[in-house]
Amino acid sequence: MIAVYPGSFDPVTNGHIDIIQRAAKLTDTLYVAVLTNPSKKPFFTVEERISLLEKVTEDIPNVKIEPFSGLLIDYAEKIGAKIIFRGLRAVSDYEYELQMALANKKLKGDTETLFMVANSKYSFLSSSLVKEIATFGGDLTGMVPDFVISEVEAKIKRR
């Protein structure tokens, strides 16, 4: 079975990694699909995000990292995925994710969205929060892998 876990991963957090590890155990191939959205100004380029994800998933043989743009459901169909994994941290995530899952179901009825509840130690964590903390010089230990901390700090210094 082929599945996809989409996101911006800007940057990848320990919460993302937890979902990737858990989802990879449930499927033959898990595509981690990195969203390219031309209307947004990402912190890291798509290539940088893919590179970070490749490094954190190098020990998970059934994970493939790819960029995508456009409708997720079209990308899922292109790669043959019948499952979309989405992580939920809070009720507010559920409302948005439910809307997306129902829209995807309407567009392509044979693809299922499976929600994975975030590990409680990561339930507060988001890429936006990581960037905000880093911008103000806060400690990112435990939120992202150590090498990602270095990449985030280097990116802030270059800005």
Side-chain angles (χ1 to χ4, degrees):
M1 179 78 60
I2 297 171
V4 60
Y5 175 47
S8 60
F9 308 104
D10 189 31
V12 61
T13 69
N14 287 342
H16 293 132
I17 296 166
D18 178 61
I19 297 289
I20 291 168
Q21 291 169 336
R22 291 164 48 206
K25 291 177 185 175
L26 301 174
T27 189
D28 298 321
T29 304
L30 176 66
Y31 283 83
V32 177
V34 180
L35 177 63
T36 60
N37 186 342
S39 67
K40 288 193 174 182
K41 213 54 175 137
F43 191 73
F44 286 102
T45 66
V46 170
E47 295 77 19
E48 290 169 330
R49 289 180 273 156
I50 288 171
S51 177
L52 294 174
L53 281 159
E54 286 173 342
K55 188 166 183 177
V56 300
T57 62
E58 65 190 359
D59 62 335
I60 311 171
N62 64 326
V63 169
K64 297 179 185 297
I65 314 295
E66 286 191 353
F68 88 98
S69 61
L71 293 176
L72 171 61
I73 200 69
D74 291 340
Y75 174 76
E77 184 175 50
K78 180 183 124 190
I79 62 171
K82 297 295 181 193
I83 298 171
I84 298 169
F85 284 104
R86 299 298 294 165
L88 297 177
R89 295 169 298 190
V91 173
S92 57
D93 285 347
Y94 177 74
E95 291 177 22
Y96 173 79
E97 294 298 344
L98 176 63
Q99 183 180 24
M100 293 297 105
L102 292 172
N104 286 334
K105 195 71 164 160
K106 172 79 171 137
L107 293 170
K108 304 273 194 248
D110 63 341
T111 303
E112 295 292 337
T113 299
L114 299 181
F115 299 124
M116 296 188 90
V117 176
N119 183 313
S120 61
K121 65 184 173 183
Y122 304 126
S123 62
F124 70 96
L125 194 52
S126 70
S127 294
S128 298
L129 181 63
V130 165
K131 290 181 282 197
E132 187 170 341
I133 291 170
T135 299
F136 293 105
D139 183 8
L140 298 178
T141 303
M143 296 181 204
V144 297
D146 289 344
F147 78 92
V148 174
I149 293 173
S150 302
E151 294 294 325
V152 169
E153 289 172 348
K155 181 69 85 168
I156 288 171
K157 285 179 185 172
R158 288 193 299 271
R159 287 188 163 203

